[in-house]
Amino acid sequence: MPELPEVTTTVNGLQRVLPSLRISSVWTDLAKKKVSRKDFEHTIKSEKFFNNFKKLVIGAKVLNVERRAKNILINLDSGYTILIHLKMTGHLIYGDYVYNKKVNAWLPHKNERASLHDPYNRFVHVVFTLTSPRPSPGKGEGVKHLVFCDSRKFGKVTLIDTKTAHETTHLKGVGPEPLEKNFSFENFKTQLQKKSNWPIKQSLMDQYTIAGIGNIYSDEMLWLASIHPESKISKIPNLYLKNLFTAMKQVLNKGIDFGGDSMSDYRDINGERGKFQNHHNVYQKKGIVCGKKSCKGVIIRSIVGGRSAHYCPSHQKLFK
Ligand SMILES: [Zn+2]
């Protein structure tokens, strides 16, 4: 699942291209008369919601794009915000697309860069057509598409009031942003202590404790801080927590610097892979000798709080 570094990479990309563009139409093949889950009623997976969504977004201009936790917020000049959560396999791509009637699907224009033709980018389920206020002369120029690719179709696309966005069920109560300058070690400790009985790995991944961290980056930061993922928060010495706080920032920033992690489906807005998967120390490294200097441990995988955890049993200390 895309985490803070992947969502940041996408948001930074969108912020470079979307502001001032106007939405001229929206298409989806996800909208259904009867939704399979109650919470889909307030997303474009509901036909009724989607019809209203179209009315409210068509004609609106994009002001800017922000991230909150793992959510992408596209703020419009009409007072609404399009909220997108990529979930397991979602990613957003920006480019020239053409609707192909024969196959009932949107395909990248034949002249588009090769990365858009990557099989992982084929699962187009939502398309926003965008027009520039200053189109360059020439046929077709000035029209672009923002497409949502999502092979597993777990992603969420909805519309909320910009003013009350942070009070909606999508964002209310979400924990602090770990990379914000004012997020101090004391804040970090206070947040973690709210779930002092939980294993540290589970707490790091809980969106109400700290925003944006998931499976990959929690494994990597615990490895770096030499803490076993099952350690109980209340038993971890202060010095180790300090190391974890530093490791958290380091690992997340490294993820952003490498353009995110594309071990799974994630692609940036140009359809390109991130590179963080080439720099894992522990995630998906089961059976590999630990890369920490002078450590001879072998990476193992186990289940912590219902999720898989990868760690080195030799240098990652268990506090229980
Ligand atoms: Zn080790």
Side-chain angles (χ1 to χ4, degrees):
M1 181 190 278
E3 305 179 32
L4 186 153
E6 290 74 45
V7 181
T8 299
T9 303
T10 289
V11 164
N12 290 346
L14 295 179
Q15 178 60 22
R16 279 194 288 271
V17 294
L18 292 190
S20 89
L21 297 188
R22 204 175 282 283
I23 299 172
S24 58
S25 69
V26 196
W27 173 94
T28 188
D29 63 355
L30 298 173
K32 300 280 179 288
K33 249 195 180 75
K34 269 198 171 165
V35 290
S36 56
R37 269 173 47 179
K38 185 119 180 83
D39 56 330
F40 292 168
E41 280 175 13
H42 304 287
T43 73
I44 61 158
K45 285 179 179 168
S46 149
E47 197 178 87
K48 194 177 160 197
F49 187 94
F50 180 62
N51 288 335
N52 200 38
F53 178 92
K54 273 196 289 192
K55 277 186 206 150
L56 295 172
V57 305
I58 291 174
K61 201 163 80 177
V62 177
L63 291 178
N64 53 38
V65 188
E66 301 174 272
R67 181 189 61 76
R68 176 72 176 104
K70 297 177 190 170
N71 299 279
I72 296 160
L73 306 174
I74 304 174
N75 297 315
L76 306 176
D77 67 350
S78 55
Y80 289 100
T81 294
I82 299 170
L83 180 147
I84 300 174
H85 195 301
L86 305 173
K87 299 282 179 177
M88 296 287 286
T89 56
H91 52 277
L92 286 161
I93 291 181
Y94 179 76
D96 276 329
Y97 275 74
V98 182
Y99 181 71
N100 185 314
K101 266 187 184 168
K102 264 190 205 160
V103 290
N104 184 29
W106 287 81
L107 304 172
H109 190 279
K110 58 181 184 345
N111 295 338
E112 267 292 6
R113 57 179 86 201
S115 55
L116 264 59
H117 300 267
D118 173 341
Y120 278 88
N121 299 329
R122 274 187 202 151
F123 308 93
V124 175
H125 291 297
V126 188
V127 179
F128 293 91
T129 303
L130 304 152
T131 51
S132 165
R134 289 177 298 277
S136 353
K139 200 185 166 201
E141 283 182 64
V143 175
K144 282 279 186 183
H145 299 95
L146 174 66
V147 312
F148 185 51
C149 301
D150 190 7
S151 65
R152 304 278 302 269
K153 297 200 262 187
F154 290 134
K156 172 166 79 178
V157 180
T158 188
L159 191 73
I160 52 180
D161 236 304
T162 307
K163 267 190 193 152
T164 53
H166 298 275
E167 294 308 309
T168 60
T169 52
H170 310 284
L171 300 175
K172 197 175 179 183
V174 168
E177 288 291 337
L179 292 184
E180 273 202 356
K181 279 203 179 79
N182 58 9
F183 184 60
S184 65
F185 173 61
E186 287 310 313
N187 301 146
F188 177 66
K189 230 167 91 175
T190 309
Q191 285 303 110
L192 289 180
Q193 279 161 354
K194 288 180 181 170
K195 312 267 166 62
S196 62
N197 283 328
W198 283 21
I200 183 69
K201 159 104 177 162
Q202 196 181 354
S203 203
L204 285 173
M205 288 174 59
D206 176 52
Q207 296 307 294
Y208 298 97
T209 304
I210 300 163
I213 301 171
N215 218 8
I216 298 175
Y217 294 93
S218 59
D219 274 357
E220 292 294 330
M221 56 187 76
L222 287 167
W223 179 88
L224 196 57
S226 303
I227 302 171
H228 190 292
E230 275 179 291
S231 296
K232 215 181 199 184
I233 290 157
S234 57
K235 304 286 182 194
I236 303 174
N238 208 45
L239 182 66
Y240 276 81
L241 281 181
K242 268 197 175 144
N243 289 342
L244 179 59
F245 179 69
T246 309
M248 173 185 72
K249 295 196 182 233
Q250 262 180 28
V251 166
L252 293 174
N253 278 318
K254 195 172 159 188
I256 295 171
D257 290 346
F258 283 112
D261 192 297
S262 294
M263 184 161 250
S264 179
D265 296 47
Y266 178 73
R267 298 293 183 272
D268 69 16
I269 68 155
N270 297 315
E272 307 272 2
R273 299 170 74 104
K275 292 189 174 68
F276 187 71
Q277 69 280 6
N278 303 328
H279 302 273
H280 291 174
N281 284 305
V282 68
Y283 182 77
Q284 298 285 3
K285 293 279 183 189
K286 186 182 159 189
I288 304 281
V289 175
C290 178
K292 192 181 163 74
K293 217 178 168 184
S294 73
C295 178
K296 292 190 176 64
V298 173
I299 306 301
I300 58 172
R301 176 183 179 272
S302 72
I303 301 297
V304 178
R307 299 291 299 271
S308 78
H310 303 84
Y311 60 95
C312 168
S314 176
H315 87 270
Q316 288 183 249
K317 288 205 175 90
L318 176 62
F319 302 100
K320 235 176 171 162

